[in-house]
Amino acid sequence: MKDSKWKKLFFALLVINALILIVLFIFISMPADDEGYTAITENSDNYVPFNIKANKEDLNRVINHYLEKEGLTGAIDYKVLLNDEVDLYGTIPFFNQDLQMKLSFEPEALENGDVVLQQKSISVGQLNLPVSHVLKLVKDRYKLPEGVTIQPQKERIYVSLQEMKLKSDVKVKVDEFNLKQDDIRFTLLVPVK
């Protein structure tokens, strides 16, 4: 009689574990929601432009200082590094472990001064997860700066520099963002009204 009871409990536990795995698989397989984005254009009469040329090393320092100072790294630590592409290093909580993650993006400067980061490669521990799902996890778990929109279905990140809140209402417009040639040029728009 006791053997029968233990067998029933074992199979019940097995069924519960199988159901948990099925539900987890269903959530991972569901498509991520995409946020649309409409570009903002500023009235140039209200701003004086200043052209700036930067390099990857200095821009790395500025980006990561901004993330740290604004408290955007939060409970989940992440870091952005500019090499020949834009790399995002961080961790994703998975059950009771943190999986190491690296996302690489190809940057493109848009005519309105914003930047689109098109996903190029991804690695999350030893898991082979679809890009859209990893971007959805990043979108849901990471605290991102205002003006950064993750679009999982398009496998890209839209960075609206004009939406970012900077001191003294200064705006930034990207003119060139060629990391391979270390050619990074911005226009600072300083308000005069």
Side-chain angles (χ1 to χ4, degrees):
M1 223 31 173
K2 281 188 174 185
D3 281 343
S4 169
K5 184 178 180 181
W6 282 107
K7 284 181 185 179
K8 288 179 186 178
L9 289 173
F10 172 76
F11 284 115
L13 183 61
L14 186 65
V15 168
I16 290 171
N17 285 336
L19 287 174
I20 290 172
L21 288 174
I22 290 169
V23 169
L24 182 64
F25 179 75
I26 289 171
F27 280 119
I28 288 175
S29 299
M30 290 174 57
D33 295 333
D34 254 352
E35 286 184 31
Y37 186 79
T38 306
I40 299 171
T41 55
E42 293 291 333
N43 183 355
S44 61
D45 294 340
N46 298 335
Y47 294 90
V48 173
F50 290 94
N51 297 320
I52 297 174
K53 183 169 174 39
N55 61 39
K56 291 185 277 193
E57 183 181 334
D58 291 340
L59 200 51
N60 275 327
R61 290 177 57 204
V62 169
I63 289 170
N64 288 299
H65 174 75
Y66 175 79
L67 292 175
E68 187 177 310
K69 184 177 180 185
E70 295 297 319
L72 298 172
T73 54
I76 301 176
D77 192 30
Y78 68 96
K79 188 175 192 177
V80 175
L81 290 176
L82 304 178
N83 296 308
D84 283 347
E85 56 218 11
V86 177
D87 294 327
L88 171 76
Y89 293 91
T91 57
I92 291 181
F94 188 72
F95 291 109
N96 288 334
Q97 292 186 331
D98 287 336
L99 297 177
Q100 296 299 317
M101 168 188 73
K102 178 188 175 194
L103 302 171
S104 295
F105 299 92
E106 189 71 38
E108 177 188 352
L110 302 178
E111 287 202 24
N112 70 348
D114 292 343
V115 176
V116 170
L117 303 174
Q118 189 65 45
Q119 196 280 322
K120 188 174 176 185
S121 67
I122 186 170
S123 62
V124 178
Q126 296 296 317
L127 295 177
N128 187 14
L129 299 175
V131 172
S132 61
H133 298 300
V134 174
L135 287 177
K136 174 130 176 49
L137 280 172
V138 170
K139 178 181 170 183
D140 293 342
R141 302 275 182 166
Y142 285 59
K143 185 177 177 188
L144 300 169
E146 190 173 329
V148 174
T149 305
I150 295 181
Q151 300 171 324
Q153 291 300 331
K154 295 179 182 176
E155 297 181 357
R156 70 180 189 182
I157 298 176
Y158 190 98
V159 182
S160 175
L161 294 171
Q162 293 156 44
E163 270 191 32
M164 289 189 177
K165 303 284 186 209
L166 301 175
K167 292 182 179 179
S168 304
D169 292 327
V170 171
K171 303 284 183 186
V172 178
K173 180 180 175 188
V174 176
D175 300 317
E176 184 65 41
F177 207 83
N178 186 336
L179 294 175
K180 291 179 180 157
Q181 296 179 0
D182 207 8
D183 183 16
I184 304 166
R185 288 178 274 146
F186 297 93
T187 300
L188 277 184
L189 301 169
V190 179
V192 291
K193 291 187 179 184

